[in-house]
């Protein structure tokens, strides 16, 4: 059942497309109220906290390129590169759990070093 | 053809299992002589340089847990968590291109911040 098999990936790609094109509000419609996200700086709980995590970065984004995306019934795994006003190339990876078309869990990986360096250079 | 479809993933998982259980030599048998790896600190070219990148971390590894792994004919995408003597939890993601059962390209993501902090604490 290919349609069922890619259910999580369809949600993941819609979420990804939304936030990487600046529409964080649309991206958050794919995020569960009680999302849990394990990000480099620690655990983020709830959609409001997730907005506070994603929104500021999304506003600095110049572009994003999907490197790879796979999924099955309830999980999707994506890797992409981003270009932002802070860092010209900063790849990220997200492993999303999707329940009833909402992202309930995200394991989010990126390297914080270039962002720390960029903020230090600005201060 | 599920066998063909998962060819890259089979190589990726064998490579992953080898280096995360301390057998870097075995892992490197899955790596092309002229591998190119884009890692957080920059580009690594060639198997010897890749050994110098992976080996020291593999020697500090206490364990690794695969979070997700997907693949198609020629690419595999994996996310996992690692525990090492330096950092208790450090997830990584690798997107591998596989040609004729050898990994020719790897986009490798992890957060360097906890490793920088651990090394600073030791010095």
């Amino acid at each position: 059942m290919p349609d069922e098999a890619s259910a999580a990936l369809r949600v993941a790609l819609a979420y990804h497309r939304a936030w990487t094109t600046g529409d964080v509000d649309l991206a958050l419609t794919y995020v569960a109220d009680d999302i849990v996200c394990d990000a480099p700086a620690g655990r983020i709980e709830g959609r409001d906290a997730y907005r506070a995590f994603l929104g500021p970065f999304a506003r600095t984004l110049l572009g994003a390129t999907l490197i790879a995306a796979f999924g099955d019934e309830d999980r999707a795994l994506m890797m992409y590169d981003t270009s932002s006003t802070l860092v010209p190339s900063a790849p990220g990876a997200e492993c999303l759990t999707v329940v009833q078309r909402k992202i309930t869990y995200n394991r989010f990986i990126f390297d914080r070093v270039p962002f720390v360096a960029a903020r230090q250079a600005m201060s």
Side-chain angles (χ1 to χ4, degrees), chain A:
Chain A
M1 295 190 296
D3 276 3
E4 282 303 305
S6 62
L9 184 56
R10 285 203 306 276
V11 171
L13 290 173
Y15 148 84
H16 174 80
R17 204 159 32 233
W19 83 256
T20 58
T21 54
D23 197 340
V24 172
D25 286 338
L26 177 60
L28 289 168
T29 64
Y30 299 102
V31 170
D33 287 348
D34 58 352
I35 185 174
V36 173
C37 173
D38 284 317
R43 179 161 281 194
I44 295 152
E45 295 185 88
R47 189 159 50 187
D48 289 345
Y50 197 77
R51 179 193 295 272
F53 162 67
L54 197 63
F57 177 62
R59 282 194 289 277
T60 70
L61 208 62
L62 301 172
T65 307
L66 202 58
I67 295 170
F70 294 95
D72 58 19
E73 294 81 355
D74 55 8
R75 293 208 304 171
L77 182 57
M78 295 186 298
M79 183 181 282
Y80 50 85
D81 200 7
T82 66
S83 172
S84 68
T85 54
L86 281 173
V87 181
S89 171
E94 298 179 55
C95 184
L96 306 167
T97 302
V98 176
V99 177
Q100 293 178 333
R101 299 186 56 76
K102 300 279 187 183
I103 299 161
T104 59
Y105 179 77
N106 186 0
R107 186 84 187 227
F108 205 132
I109 304 178
F110 63 94
D111 180 25
R112 284 177 292 170
V113 162
F115 293 96
V116 171
R119 288 193 188 100
Q120 281 175 346
M122 287 195 313
S123 65

